[in-house]
Amino acid sequence: NPLQSTMGARPLWKSTDSGATWTPLDDLPFAFLEAVAVDPGTPTTLYAATTDAGIFKSLDGGVTWKPANQGITGVAQVLTVDPRHPQTVYAASGSAVTPGVVYKSVDGGSIWSPIDSSETAQALQVLVDARNSNNVWICWNSGASKSTDGGDTWTDVPFPGTFIDYLALDPQMSGAVFAFSAEKFGITKTSPTIPPYLWRSTDSGVNWTQITSSAVFPEDQIG
């Protein structure tokens, strides 16, 4: 007999008109949603990563959900569906106090296997090359790594900026990558503040070119 019988804030909403209107999805088996991934070939197939109940899968556009956690230890906060092979799904976990782990499923989330880990970093993104599914990228909060064999082996990505805060892959050109380097605040005159920049690589992160203008955000215009 709670005073408030339903949650005031719904964790998941759905639009069928390109975002003009939204409808909340109620009766969800989770409350704290971290990420949603959609099967690009079958948009009614969804995956949800939650901090309170693990990973779930829906086959009817979010009306009903079933747990899809077998093989995952801890909480997953990142989800990515391979655009060329949608039965292949990646998930990642980790926090400031728990090791980061990247998982892979080749059967639509039924069984997951760990493919990479870090004792000190949290996974922020997992990305799959839309032109070559063997190329997989992980953006950690301490750097980035990539695999050219679907996650079997990994190498660190060299980066000339402060550190990679966000990655984006060009869906039309394999090997074309954009990176966002976060701002580094200076403490002394000999270590001045370094503004955020965008970088671009056309060879899968081997070489990077800085886009000349620093990234500008709305708050930079205030004052």
Side-chain angles (χ1 to χ4, degrees), residues 6-195:
T6 60
M7 291 187 294
R10 276 67 167 258
L12 187 58
W13 295 66
K14 180 178 180 179
S15 174
T16 57
D17 53 13
S18 300
T21 60
W22 293 87
T23 302
L25 299 179
D26 291 322
D27 300 322
L28 297 174
F30 50 82
F32 300 103
L33 184 66
E34 288 285 338
V36 175
V38 182
D39 183 331
T42 310
T44 54
T45 298
L46 311 174
Y47 299 87
T50 73
T51 56
D52 59 329
I55 293 179
F56 289 84
K57 182 178 181 180
S58 173
L59 298 175
D60 51 16
V63 177
T64 59
W65 297 84
K66 290 185 178 181
N69 295 301
Q70 187 172 342
I72 291 182
T73 302
V75 176
Q77 297 139 324
V78 179
L79 283 173
T80 301
V81 178
D82 184 335
R84 295 179 64 87
H85 304 95
Q87 284 295 302
T88 299
V89 189
Y90 295 87
S93 64
S95 67
V97 295
T98 58
V101 182
V102 181
Y103 299 91
K104 180 179 181 180
S105 172
V106 295
D107 54 10
S110 295
I111 300 176
W112 301 85
S113 299
I115 58 172
D116 197 19
S117 63
S118 173
E119 290 293 327
T120 59
Q122 176 183 354
L124 305 177
Q125 291 176 278
V126 179
L127 305 96
V128 183
D129 191 326
R131 296 288 179 174
N132 185 347
S133 296
N134 287 323
N135 296 332
V136 184
W137 295 68
I138 301 173
C139 183
W140 302 95
N141 62 350
S142 60
S145 56
K146 67 177 180 178
S147 171
T148 58
D149 51 19
D152 290 338
T153 59
W154 297 89
T155 58
D156 292 336
V157 176
F159 186 65
T162 51
F163 60 89
I164 297 176
D165 197 52
Y166 192 86
L167 282 173
L169 306 185
D170 188 332
Q172 303 299 325
M173 180 180 174
S174 181
V177 190
F178 291 88
F180 170 70
S181 64
E183 184 174 26
K184 182 180 180 181
F185 293 98
I187 300 175
T188 66
K189 291 182 178 180
T190 57
S191 59
T193 295
I194 301 175

